[in-house]
Amino acid sequence: MTTAVAVPADQHGSGIGTMLAIQLRTGWKPIAIWVGSIIGLYLVTIAAIDAAYPDAATLESYGAAMDGNAAVAAINGTPYGADNLGGVTANEFGFMAAIMLPVMATHLITRATRTQEASGLLELVRSRCVARWAPTVGAVITTLAALAVSALGIFLSAAAYDIDTGDAALYALSLFGLGAVWVGIAALVAQLVRIPGKVYAISLTVLGVSYATRAIGDVNENGWKWLSPLAWQQETRPFDTEPRWWPLLLAAGTATILITVGVVQSARRDLGSGLLNTRAGPDRAAAHTQSVVGLAFRDHRASIAAWTAGAIAVAVIFGALSDAVADAVASNPAFAELDGGADGYLALTITMLVLMATGFAVQGLAKLRSAELDGNLEPTLARAVSRHTWLGSHLAVVTAGYLVVTLASALAFGLTVGDLGDDGNQTGEILTSGIAYVPAIAVVAAVSVACFGWMPRWQGIAWLVLGYETFIAFVGPTLDVDEWVLRLSPMYSVGFVPADDPSTTGIAVLVVVALVVTAFGFVGFRRRDIPHH
């Protein structure tokens, strides 16, 4: 533990300027990637919607299909104002915004606080008489600035398509407010726990709970949704006939309180500690940790459990809403023509579950780079452990992990849907659909392995592949592009199952690609220097 050195404020100041300079110097790349991705995805989405629905009549037909649509309400939120370009774009962009903004805020805050603290950087900085709270304040400022630039880019993109500037401004501010709430959540959680991974786990758990309560409230039209910051953003209704500004106050107030508490607590705790007590480890290592595979399992078991629990929760909640979706389809045939009806809802839910499993795979493999940078890899390889054994062990555990996440959540979803619909065959169909997507997950994992093997600094490309998959899954059908552009998404190559039959050719190609790219990564890891900076 270290303690702050008492230095007169008028002599050395708070160190905010120093922390901002360090955080921008070490973190400008992820900030640029996040901001560029969010603005770019919105711009592509609005361009696709404008091309697919070029006039008022087609936009009104979209709105008619969305009217009372329980499936859309569950996944994207209530489609307010979905009869104009701004409203349709907000609806199609809704799922991506609900995931990307909280994850962006969590990543940037954690990276600038707990991750730097764990690496020892903050201890060096604090030796220069920087205030205890300065790293947290600097992280909050840079993250809010990144959110502000993202919101500005979305506003300018909407204005470029002749959307009313007042409505566009309200929409951009609502997205900024959503991100700001998660800045506060991440800033506070970073003071509670000591390990960076736990900050992600808790923040994403809050996101999952918020998503679930918003979905339940929107489908059943009750007050549950007001427990969710995601609903606060959507309830501004920027493109509806009666837009509302007051929900912004909920986001602003909550973000202010959380950020303030987080900053205050950062000034009170010791460096390297957390406000929540950490349980002491065992006196002796467990027997299973004596092997490379056992150590790999220990590194990933918490993530496997967390992602599996989250995916099962999503599966059960969306499965419980399937009856309401079936009733909505029966009362609105236009929805069946637009999104595949009840089968389309099943396919969209399975898509979300598979994306969650892919997220686990990418996050799990990212730990390989952390082990290298933290200096844990070199001592391991200094023993009688080959590079291929170490990498293969971690890849095997991660592969088993994403299989567990996929199969457990698909089974939970199938059992819930089958029980409500009294159709046992649906359980097997849904489980088979989840299995069909496993090669698509393997391809994204292979990209991560290949980057780690040859260019470890660019391992984050796997997150971009996951983002592209998400974009194509939810916006792809509206894009006026060549088929090959869509097939760059591994999930698209499988098909929209179970609404459509899975493509056996596409699955076979994905299996071959995954094996070849993974082998390519192993070759690179065998040849490169360790550590590779």
Side-chain angles (χ1 to χ4, degrees), residues 55 71 137 217 234 239 255 258 265 286 416 436 455 480 484 490 521-522:
D55 52 45
V137 172
Q234 294 175 348
F239 304 107
L258 291 172
Q265 294 304 320
T416 307
M455 301 177 296
D480 183 20
W484 69 267
F522 272 76

Side-chain angles (χ1 to χ4, degrees), residues 192-195 198 274 276-281:
L192 299 178
V193 296
R194 184 173 56 86
I195 301 173
K198 290 186 177 181
L276 298 180
N277 291 330
T278 302
R279 185 181 63 180

Side-chain angles (χ1 to χ4, degrees), residues 30-102:
I31 291 174
I33 291 172
W34 273 113
V35 172
S37 298
I38 290 172
I39 296 174
L41 284 175
Y42 180 81
L43 188 57
V44 172
T45 302
I46 194 172
I49 297 299
D50 187 52
Y53 303 95
D55 52 45
T58 54
L59 288 170
E60 289 176 1
S61 67
Y62 178 96
M66 294 297 106
D67 186 30
N69 191 320
V72 172
I75 295 172
N76 291 341
T78 303
Y80 296 114
D83 56 0
N84 58 73
L85 180 59
V88 174
T89 304
N91 182 55
E92 294 292 332
F93 190 65
F95 178 80
M96 289 182 285
I99 301 301
M100 291 184 71
L101 291 171

Side-chain angles (χ1 to χ4, degrees), residues 122-203:
L122 290 191
E123 187 170 10
L124 293 175
V125 172
R126 287 270 295 275
S127 69
R128 303 295 296 176
C129 303
V130 171
R132 294 188 182 198
W133 46 265
T136 301
V137 172
V140 168
I141 291 174
T142 55
T143 306
L144 289 178
L147 289 168
V149 175
S150 301
L152 178 61
I154 289 174
F155 167 76
L156 294 176
S157 299
Y161 279 84
D162 295 327
I163 294 175
D164 181 79
T165 54
D167 295 344
L170 177 57
Y171 179 62
L173 286 174
S174 70
L175 294 177
F176 175 82
L178 172 62
V181 170
W182 255 269
V183 169
I185 291 172
L188 176 58
V189 173
Q191 312 313 316
L192 299 178
V193 296
R194 184 173 56 86
I195 301 173
K198 290 186 177 181
V199 180
Y200 286 103
I202 295 174
S203 178

Side-chain angles (χ1 to χ4, degrees), residues 6 46 57 70 123 217 223 281 295 466 510:
I46 194 172
E123 187 170 10
L295 286 172
L466 176 57
L510 290 176

Side-chain angles (χ1 to χ4, degrees), residues 461-533:
I461 289 176
W463 285 111
L464 296 180
V465 176
L466 176 57
Y468 185 77
E469 274 194 320
T470 304
F471 176 74
I472 294 299
F474 290 93
V475 183
T478 64
L479 297 176
D480 183 20
V481 296
D482 293 335
E483 182 73 8
W484 69 267
V485 176
L486 301 176
R487 290 197 177 277
L488 289 176
S489 166
M491 289 184 66
Y492 184 87
S493 297
V494 175
F496 194 52
V497 293
D500 300 324
D501 293 331
S503 170
T504 55
T505 301
I507 292 174
V509 171
L510 290 176
V511 170
V512 173
V513 170
L515 292 175
V516 171
V517 175
T518 299
F520 180 67
F522 272 76
V523 172
F525 184 60
R526 177 66 181 84
R527 295 183 176 183
R528 72 172 174 85
D529 293 335
I530 295 175
H532 187 285
H533 295 289

Side-chain angles (χ1 to χ4, degrees), residues 152-503:
L152 178 61
I154 289 174
F155 167 76
L156 294 176
S157 299
Y161 279 84
D162 295 327
I163 294 175
D164 181 79
T165 54
D167 295 344
L170 177 57
Y171 179 62
L173 286 174
S174 70
L175 294 177
F176 175 82
L178 172 62
V181 170
W182 255 269
V183 169
I185 291 172
L188 176 58
V189 173
Q191 312 313 316
L192 299 178
V193 296
R194 184 173 56 86
I195 301 173
K198 290 186 177 181
V199 180
Y200 286 103
I202 295 174
S203 178
L204 294 179
T205 298
V206 174
L207 175 59
V209 172
S210 299
Y211 194 91
T213 54
R214 196 274 307 148
I216 293 171
D218 279 334
V219 171
N220 297 318
E221 298 182 356
N222 57 37
W224 273 94
K225 62 183 176 182
W226 289 106
L227 298 175
S228 170
L230 302 178
W232 304 344
Q233 183 269 317
Q234 294 175 348
E235 286 299 321
T236 56
R237 307 182 183 185
F239 304 107
D240 202 10
T241 53
E242 297 181 358
R244 305 190 293 190
W245 289 82
W246 61 265
L248 294 177
L249 298 177
L250 293 174
T254 302
T256 300
I257 293 172
L258 291 172
I259 290 172
T260 300
V261 174
V263 171
V264 170
Q265 294 304 320
S266 70
R268 294 178 176 177
R269 68 173 179 86
D270 289 331
L271 190 68
S273 69
L275 297 176
L276 298 180
N277 291 330
T278 302
R279 185 181 63 180
D283 294 334
R284 296 182 179 181
H288 72 270
T289 61
Q290 301 301 313
S291 67
V292 181
V293 175
L295 286 172
F297 174 72
R298 186 196 65 178
D299 290 342
H300 298 286
R301 63 187 177 184
S303 295
I304 294 174
W307 281 95
T308 302
I312 289 176
V314 170
V316 171
I317 291 170
F318 279 83
L321 298 174
S322 59
D323 268 0
V325 172
D327 294 339
V329 172
S331 62
N332 189 357
F335 171 55
E337 297 178 3
L338 185 66
D339 278 334
D343 285 343
Y345 174 76
L346 298 181
L348 283 172
T349 303
I350 292 172
T351 296
M352 286 195 297
L353 300 178
V354 172
L355 289 172
M356 292 181 71
T358 309
F360 158 75
V362 176
Q363 183 196 47
L365 292 171
K367 292 182 179 181
L368 305 183
R369 178 60 172 164
S370 298
E372 181 177 3
L373 293 177
D374 294 343
N376 296 325
L377 177 55
E378 288 179 279
T380 301
L381 297 180
R383 300 163 51 200
V385 177
S386 69
R387 297 189 182 197
H388 285 176
T389 299
W390 181 82
L391 180 56
S393 298
H394 279 273
L395 180 58
V397 172
V398 170
T399 300
Y402 67 67
L403 284 173
V404 169
V405 176
T406 303
L407 298 180
S409 60
L411 180 60
F413 183 52
L415 290 173
T416 307
V417 172
D419 182 61
L420 291 176
D422 296 325
D423 184 1
N425 293 330
Q426 279 191 305
T427 301
E429 182 183 11
I430 290 173
L431 184 59
T432 302
S433 299
I435 294 173
Y437 280 116
V438 169
I441 305 174
V443 168
V444 182
V447 170
S448 182
V449 171
C451 290
F452 176 72
W454 289 93
M455 301 177 296
R457 294 181 62 184
W458 293 94
Q459 196 179 15
I461 289 176
W463 285 111
L464 296 180
V465 176
L466 176 57
Y468 185 77
E469 274 194 320
T470 304
F471 176 74
I472 294 299
F474 290 93
V475 183
T478 64
L479 297 176
D480 183 20
V481 296
D482 293 335
E483 182 73 8
W484 69 267
V485 176
L486 301 176
R487 290 197 177 277
L488 289 176
S489 166
M491 289 184 66
Y492 184 87
S493 297
V494 175
F496 194 52
V497 293
D500 300 324
D501 293 331
S503 170

